Amino acid sequence: MTMLESNVDVLIIGAGPAGFIAATWMTRIGVKMRIIDKRGTKVFNGQADGLQCQSQEIFDSFGFEDRVQNETNHMLEFCMWARISRFTEKVLHQGRTEQFFLDHIKKHSDIEVERGVLPEALSVDMSHVEDTNSHSITLKLRSLGDEEATSQQAKGTGTQDGLFRSNLARDGTDNLIHKSKEQANLEEVVHAKYVFGCDGANRWTRHIIPLTDFPDIRKRFAIHSTSSSSLILTETKPDACGRADRSSIKPEIKPEIRPETIISAPEKILSPFTVTYNYCHRWTAYQIGQRGGRNFDLHQRIFLAGDAVHTHSPKAGQGMNVSMQDTYYLGWKVGLVVKGVVEPSILKTYQSERRRVAHDLISFDHKFSRLFSGRPAKDIMDESGVSMAEFKEKFVVDYRASMLVAKAGSSEHQGDGTGMSPSGGRKQAWLKSDGRFRIILFAGNMSSSSRKARAEAFCAALEKSDSFLKSVIEILTLYSIRRIDIELLNDFPVILHSWDEKTGWDYYKVFVDDQSHHEGHGHAYEKYGVYPERGYVVIARPHQYVG
Ligand SMILES: Cc1cc2nc3c(=O)[nH]c(=O)nc-3n(C[C@H](O)[C@H](O)[C@H](O)COP(=O)(O)OP(=O)(O)OC[C@H]3O[C@@H](n4cnc5c(N)ncnc54)[C@H](O)[C@@H]3O)c2cc1C
């Protein structure tokens, strides 16, 4: 039998949230890629359900946030990222979120997830690893038979038990390879320039629809019980997947875990209120493990992302969100390197930027988990108890100096660099994820002749033949005087509202910080701290981060 052999620029292993973001980037940037998953079907319901503001900003920049808006339960009273973003936290089961990605990838390419395909061997040709054009990674892929690749969920037998992508069940990868070898399934050799390892941490999930007399079960809440373990209850939209219940089960009862054992935990915790169920839609159990990898890449050719390189408890609802952010922050870099637009050296910043985020999250999660397993604080003076007040500070990613971030401090070593400290908001509604860098020109008061002259001089410099401006850089302008006091075509240099033979002037690149008829006043200059008489220039990377 002749073995198939082919080349691809990027191979993504694992079609979970991290893999889907990577695939979406490749599709949008136009990179030749394949995405494989050992499972024969997608995940149907859980596991993650909390969509944080930044994930929604990412979806918005790809152009499908409206679907999240329509199909989710909006969490208005429980949001760790409030006021930083214009979005609130939302709840939607992971199966639906993954469907959004599948639809988006289909819209922008003819690529499909190759399911039931398992990598069996991987090697790196070290003699060519420095040559960015070389397909120096070789993988042997094996297509599984239907039986091995199909999860219980997909077979539709009985209650979905979360066996799919679980971490309490044994992974079974070796077994799958062994079985499929017996059946002489299709083998293939693929040579790739870059590989994304997004194959998760092998998990179990659980979902039950509870019937209870607990007051207002519609709200997301956490109960920290002194007598038993803890409970977080999240209601998702009934037409999406009903209510979800999660509770911590003591490890020693693992082997006997059944829906009846799971429901006994909330029974104790909610007492004197009662909880029972008529119909169990899906259940699973999950073992909390806080692990963070040391190396996030191998020779800046193979990258680990998501649960494959850091795991934490589901309690803070961060896993899927941070997994997606990993590949959101990495995908454009690999895409633009493959396209020859940026230097491969920027790939070093994946580890330096994301490892610290992962490790900070793990220590946050350690503390956060204690809220559920430790003794609750009696009051503000009770120092030995665990209090939610510790977590009232919002956190966002704020990278330190590197070759991509111009800040005080040495960028030479690209060392781990992020503090989880509050910083400015994002403007993702303008900043679409299409692989372009952006210059955002706060042109200020364009009715002042000196201010206008400065903006014109800046534009003239950008138009020079030796300017760094290329098609991968888009310029957006925000000016600060009343819209009716200025004439776009006369008062702004052409480079800010370019002309196209087919579509005419591009009016949609110039914005005003003024009262709108329907949406109030954004007060952008005031909020970003920009003086209209002085102006400002901001450079944003393709994933919106201000460098
Ligand atoms: C009960 C529960 C609740 C959670 N709640 C939240 C929440 O509210 N918010 C949140 O942000 N996170 C939550 N999480 C965490 C979240 O589900 C994970 O962090 C997230 O799914 C990780 O995404 P990933 O793409 O890295 O991995 P996964 O989602 O695990 O995807 C990995 C993919 O790789 C495939 N794969 C595995 N091995 C191979 C292989 N050898 N070859 C090919 N393919 C392979 C798998 O089939 C799978 O499709 C929760 C987790 C659990 C268990």
Side-chain angles (χ1 to χ4, degrees):
M1 189 176 73
T2 346
M3 203 181 282
L4 286 176
E5 194 157 355
S6 61
N7 285 358
V8 69
D9 287 339
V10 171
L11 182 81
I12 300 163
I13 303 170
F20 276 129
I21 289 268
T24 304
W25 263 128
M26 296 310 130
T27 307
R28 295 302 298 269
I29 295 177
V31 168
K32 194 176 160 198
M33 66 100 178
R34 288 173 64 177
I35 173 165
I36 60 167
D37 197 290
K38 71 177 180 183
R39 300 292 181 203
T41 53
K42 72 186 276 289
V43 68
F44 292 98
N45 288 298
Q47 47 230 30
D49 51 18
L51 276 175
Q52 307 206 325
C53 307
Q54 199 187 355
S55 300
Q56 294 168 62
E57 290 173 351
I58 292 172
F59 296 172
D60 196 26
S61 73
F62 282 126
F64 56 85
E65 160 57 26
D66 53 326
R67 298 185 69 178
V68 175
Q69 195 69 20
N70 292 338
E71 294 189 27
T72 48
N73 187 16
H74 297 210
M75 296 279 104
L76 300 174
E77 294 181 6
F78 185 105
C79 180
M80 288 190 277
W81 301 70
R83 284 185 285 123
I84 287 173
S85 171
R86 65 199 170 92
F87 296 110
T88 57
E89 188 173 349
K90 300 196 175 68
V91 176
L92 182 70
H93 68 81
Q94 189 169 328
R96 196 70 195 139
T97 304
E98 293 189 6
Q99 187 61 48
F100 296 163
F101 283 109
L102 285 167
D103 293 345
H104 191 75
I105 291 167
K106 199 169 171 188
K107 185 174 161 195
H108 291 276
S109 72
D110 54 6
I111 286 164
E112 290 193 3
V113 177
E114 296 170 47
R115 298 202 179 270
V117 178
L118 191 65
E120 203 180 279
L122 181 152
S123 62
V124 184
D125 177 357
M126 292 303 295
S127 61
H128 287 99
V129 84
E130 297 296 329
D131 172 7
T132 41
N133 289 320
S134 77
H135 294 82
S136 55
I137 307 160
T138 299
L139 295 108
K140 193 163 154 203
L141 305 183
R142 177 176 289 279
S143 294
L144 302 174
D146 283 351
E147 187 57 28
E148 295 102 51
T150 309
S151 70
Q152 275 309 113
Q153 286 191 342
K155 287 175 188 157
T157 49
T159 304
Q160 295 172 3
D161 66 1
L163 194 68
F164 195 55
R165 293 196 196 167
S166 68
N167 78 341
L168 282 182
R170 255 176 288 149
D171 179 31
T173 301
D174 293 343
N175 196 24
L176 283 176
I177 292 174
H178 180 72
K179 268 191 171 175
S180 62
K181 267 185 180 158
E182 283 170 8
Q183 295 177 18
N185 286 321
L186 199 66
E187 288 178 353
E188 183 188 356
V189 171
V190 176
H191 305 283
K193 288 182 180 169
Y194 296 94
V195 169
F196 285 67
C198 303
D199 46 349
N202 192 29
R203 296 171 173 275
W204 280 89
T205 53
R206 60 198 182 279
H207 284 262
I208 277 175
I209 302 179
L211 302 175
T212 178
D213 56 359
F214 188 80
D216 206 348
I217 203 163
R218 292 169 304 170
K219 295 197 171 71
R220 182 177 190 168
F221 60 87
I223 297 180
H224 185 178
S225 159
T226 43
S227 60
S228 184
S229 51
S230 62
L231 172 87
I232 302 178
L233 223 146
T234 312
E235 194 219 38
T236 54
K237 277 198 168 175
D239 55 348
C241 80
R243 290 175 189 152
D245 162 33
R246 306 178 196 155
S247 55
S248 304
I249 304 287
K250 293 201 168 73
E252 58 273 22
I253 62 168
K254 247 190 302 181
E256 301 88 51
I257 289 177
R258 302 280 318 142
E260 307 80 63
T261 26
I262 291 177
I263 201 75
S264 71
E267 268 166 7
K268 276 192 214 148
I269 297 164
L270 281 179
S271 174
F273 299 102
T274 58
V275 59
T276 178
Y277 66 98
N278 281 340
Y279 163 64
C280 172
H281 178 54
R282 196 162 76 88
W283 66 271
T284 188
Y286 169 71
Q287 185 164 26
I288 295 175
Q290 281 127 339
R291 285 178 290 143
R294 240 175 94 79
N295 296 315
F296 277 43
D297 72 66
L298 183 69
H299 310 299
Q300 284 111 52
R301 286 296 192 130
I302 301 174
F303 301 91
L304 296 180
D307 278 12
V309 72
H310 50 79
T311 57
H312 8 83
S313 80
K315 291 189 166 112
Q318 296 279 357
M320 176 178 71
N321 291 281
V322 175
S323 298
M324 291 194 292
Q325 285 159 27
D326 282 349
T327 42
Y328 186 61
Y329 283 43
L330 170 67
W332 67 270
K333 294 177 186 170
V334 173
L336 294 188
V337 168
V338 171
K339 286 274 178 187
V341 174
V342 295
E343 293 290 327
S345 54
I346 71 159
L347 297 174
K348 280 185 201 160
T349 60
Y350 172 59
Q351 172 162 305
S352 66
E353 292 184 344
R354 297 307 297 174
R355 184 168 62 182
R356 179 73 179 273
V357 171
H359 288 196
D360 283 355
L361 177 58
I362 289 166
S363 30
F364 165 82
D365 192 52
H366 262 297
K367 285 192 194 166
F368 195 71
S369 294
R370 278 173 51 225
L371 282 173
F372 299 87
S373 52
R375 180 178 66 77
K378 289 191 201 104
D379 54 42
I380 200 165
M381 303 301 286
D382 180 2
E383 284 175 12
S384 60
V386 185
S387 157
M388 194 67 190
E390 275 188 65
F391 306 107
K392 69 177 188 297
E393 272 302 307
K394 322 284 181 289
F395 53 89
V396 296
V397 172
D398 185 13
Y399 298 131
R400 296 196 190 124
S402 77
M403 64 171 72
L404 286 174
V405 180
K407 263 189 186 168
S410 168
S411 62
E412 204 180 314
H413 302 297
Q414 304 300 324
D416 282 343
T418 175
M420 300 291 242
S421 65
S423 71
R426 286 188 170 76
K427 303 150 282 296
Q428 70 289 335
W430 308 347
L431 311 183
K432 296 294 174 203
S433 289
D434 53 11
R436 283 187 288 181
F437 283 81
R438 289 192 173 80
I439 293 172
I440 301 144
L441 173 64
F442 284 78
N445 177 2
M446 287 290 279
S447 64
S448 131
S449 53
S450 63
R451 194 45 257 148
K452 193 173 170 192
R454 255 167 84 98
E456 283 170 351
F458 178 73
C459 291
L462 288 179
E463 281 182 304
K464 278 190 186 157
S465 56
D466 60 348
S467 152
F468 58 85
L469 194 66
K470 294 187 195 145
S471 60
V472 291
I473 300 179
E474 180 183 52
I475 311 174
L476 300 172
T477 307
L478 178 65
Y479 65 96
S480 65
I481 50 168
R482 293 194 316 159
R483 181 178 54 82
I484 54 168
D485 290 343
I486 206 151
E487 178 53 56
L488 174 68
L489 298 188
N490 289 340
D491 294 322
F492 288 86
V494 169
I495 191 174
L496 303 181
H497 54 88
S498 53
W499 170 260
D500 179 271
E501 285 301 328
K502 272 196 192 141
T503 52
W505 293 110
D506 189 348
Y507 298 102
Y508 300 98
K509 290 204 167 46
V510 180
F511 300 84
V512 60
D513 189 19
D514 190 10
Q515 187 73 32
S516 94
H517 290 301
H518 307 292
E519 294 179 82
H521 196 308
H523 296 291
Y525 274 69
E526 191 187 321
K527 285 181 186 160
Y528 292 120
V530 178
Y531 298 112
E533 297 307 325
R534 209 167 145 205
Y536 208 68
V537 176
V538 170
I539 312 288
R541 299 194 222 166
H543 66 279
Q544 308 165 0
Y545 191 84
V546 173

